[in-house]
Amino acid sequence: MVSADFSVNSGAVFTEAIGNDRLDLLTDYPFTRLANLLAPITPRANVAPVLLTVGEPQHTPPAIIEETLRASASGWNKYPPVGGTPEFRAATGDWLTRRYDLPAGLLHADSSILPLSGTREALFMLALLAVPTRKAGRQPAVLMPNPFYAPYEGAAVMAGAEPVFLSATRETGFLPDLDALTPELLERTALFYLCTPANPQGAAATPAYLAKAIALARQYGFVLAVDECYAEIWLDAPPVGALQVAAGLPYADGKPWSNLLVFHSLSKRSSAAGLRSGFVAGDPALIGRFSRLRSYGCAGMPLPILAASTALWQDEAHVEENRAAYRAKFAAAEAELGGRYGYYRPAGGFFLWLEVGNGEEAAKRLWAEGAVRVLPGAYLSRSNPGEPNPGEAFIRVALVQDTDTVAQACASIVRILG
Ligand SMILES: Cc1ncc(COP(=O)(O)O)c(C=O)c1O
């Protein structure tokens, strides 16, 4: 079985801490923790394992990828430029303008977009760009929703900031409550990661919510990073994007994107996690500085992959097919789960976020009794002092397999967990 959640390679292999002690502030990565949790358990014999842990779509990737890679093979012997190609920037700029209905000409692709070899590494590296030594005379804070995509925390910690986990529960619409942020915290905030549609809960921010977040970033002088990696996996209506909202806000000096960066990926949109392809767009001043930083520390996106990515961003047919496949899977899951475990239909993304009592115990039972592999919610979240861990009672189920497999897995969940 080749799956990212089966590798058990934690920092525990070192007998004593060496090097950067900030790393010791992090736990093992969620999938390493899961592999350790489930390693002692052998699922019942004769049941094929169903992997619903990693957000890695198993749909066949579009044929465009292979065709373009073959046609641009002469680029493999070249070091790619950090800024990618004009064609890539134009295709992603046009896509953003179409998708978010931006006024023609407002987004200057050449100064506002950088290609990324997957968004994970750039979301991580962003903290090195955004976190100063001190902010308002204190240790800088990096805000993130709780639960959250694990690299946000890793980035904050390794950049020397304090990660601040903002509860995103059913009560807050599964997004952080912006009204609860105090001026004391905002003054020392260097970076705020928001994820919409959210992983794992699938909640999408409203225009008013994003407008408020953008206004706070500008008022308090921090970077707002909006992770829109699930923007194209939606059920009923396309979620609004942060650039779209920013374009409608008043702005001065021809600077509509100040303080704002958005991250987009082909991993989910085009079922191409292995291509490692995404981009960041927004504030040209930040993009310029990011480009300088990335010149020191990143591999550029190889030219054949830039060509394949360009073609993918120009094509919508395969994305519509993908969306139809996810709709069918949610319908199948909904039919099997019948409202159990607080099931709700998310605005976007491809996860079920199910309240099962104790997520770790549920994950163990599902693996032992049904060979169904899911992620305990607590591995995606942290406890704040005096508060329960907002993920503890949940499991995350990634609807990445085909519809029949998803339906059978949901039936197993009901049979095993009751
Ligand atoms: C919320 C979120 N952001 C970003 C990523 C990174 O995607 P990639 O590095 O494949 O672009 C993921 C992947 O699972 C994710 O769930």
Side-chain angles (χ1 to χ4, degrees):
M1 231 174 320
V2 180
S3 167
D5 89 31
F6 275 83
S7 58
V8 188
N9 59 342
S10 77
V13 294
F14 295 112
T15 50
E16 59 184 86
I18 53 169
N20 192 337
D21 54 354
R22 285 180 185 156
L23 195 54
D24 301 315
L25 299 172
L26 299 175
T27 62
D28 279 337
Y29 202 71
F31 298 121
T32 307
R33 292 177 72 188
L34 179 70
N36 289 333
L37 179 78
L38 300 185
I41 301 171
T42 308
R44 275 202 356 239
N46 303 325
V47 190
V50 182
L51 309 184
L52 303 173
T53 50
V54 184
E56 180 188 68
Q58 298 302 303
H59 305 174
T60 309
I64 303 173
I65 298 180
E66 263 195 65
E67 289 160 14
T68 350
L69 287 180
R70 215 174 303 120
S72 45
S74 61
W76 286 120
N77 65 356
K78 308 233 171 18
Y79 277 117
V82 164
T85 55
E87 292 78 15
F88 176 89
R89 292 192 296 273
T92 46
D94 289 350
W95 178 81
L96 284 169
T97 299
R98 270 196 320 275
R99 166 68 174 81
Y100 294 115
D101 204 12
L102 304 180
L106 194 65
L107 183 82
H108 300 289
D110 284 341
S111 55
S112 286
I113 296 180
L114 282 179
L116 307 171
S117 293
T119 52
R120 179 213 294 242
E121 52 102 15
L123 286 163
F124 180 86
M125 196 173 224
L126 175 62
L128 298 185
L129 179 80
V131 175
T133 315
R134 309 283 284 168
K135 178 114 193 279
R138 285 169 288 169
Q139 183 189 23
V142 172
L143 313 188
M144 64 197 72
N146 193 21
F148 55 91
Y149 180 51
Y152 308 158
E153 182 192 16
V157 167
M158 296 312 288
E162 179 195 348
V164 176
F165 307 107
L166 308 172
S167 280
T169 59
R170 207 183 296 275
E171 291 68 45
T172 65
F174 289 125
L175 293 170
D177 178 2
L178 300 180
D179 294 325
L181 302 173
T182 62
E184 183 280 333
L185 175 61
L186 289 163
E187 275 159 14
R188 66 187 182 95
T189 295
L191 170 62
F192 187 172
Y193 289 105
L194 266 179
C195 186
T196 174
N199 171 6
Q201 314 96 318
T206 61
Y209 186 96
L210 287 167
K212 169 124 204 189
I214 294 167
L216 288 174
R218 291 178 179 163
Q219 183 183 350
Y220 288 96
F222 61 80
V223 176
L224 178 66
V226 186
D227 182 351
E228 298 181 344
C229 132
Y230 293 93
E232 288 295 82
I233 313 295
W234 43 265
L235 292 178
D236 300 322
V240 72
L243 292 182
Q244 186 174 7
V245 171
L249 298 175
Y251 57 86
D253 310 328
K255 292 180 178 167
W257 321 123
S258 295
N259 299 63
L260 176 63
L261 293 174
V262 298
F263 290 77
H264 282 274
S265 171
L266 289 175
S267 298
K268 327 292 177 184
R269 174 184 183 269
S270 301
S271 308
L275 193 66
R276 309 311 301 129
S277 179
F279 68 85
V280 55
D283 187 337
L286 291 171
I287 291 285
R289 289 178 65 76
F290 216 173
S291 175
R292 187 200 289 182
L293 180 67
R294 294 178 60 74
S295 303
Y296 279 92
C298 289
M301 186 188 289
L303 291 169
I305 296 185
L306 279 163
S309 307
T310 302
L312 287 171
W313 287 112
Q314 287 166 335
D315 184 69
E316 292 297 337
H318 75 278
V319 190
E320 274 156 32
E321 269 173 40
N322 265 344
R323 271 195 291 272
Y326 286 115
R327 280 190 198 112
K329 291 192 259 193
F330 272 102
E334 202 166 318
E336 293 295 338
L337 296 174
R340 291 179 183 82
Y341 324 118
Y343 172 86
Y344 58 93
R345 189 176 158 86
F350 49 56
F351 298 110
L352 304 176
W353 182 238
L354 303 179
E355 197 162 0
V356 292
N358 178 323
E360 265 194 341
E361 285 310 312
K364 287 202 285 196
R365 285 186 62 196
L366 291 172
W367 183 235
E369 297 172 39
V372 174
R373 211 165 162 98
V374 302
L375 191 66
Y379 293 5
L380 298 170
S381 50
R382 295 276 173 265
S383 310
N384 282 318
E387 288 174 23
N389 180 329
E392 206 157 53
F394 289 81
I395 52 172
R396 190 188 79 171
V397 183
L399 302 188
V400 290
Q401 308 287 349
D402 61 77
T403 306
D404 286 349
T405 310
V406 162
Q408 282 162 23
C410 289
S412 301
I413 291 174
V414 171
R415 177 174 52 77
I416 295 165
L417 300 182

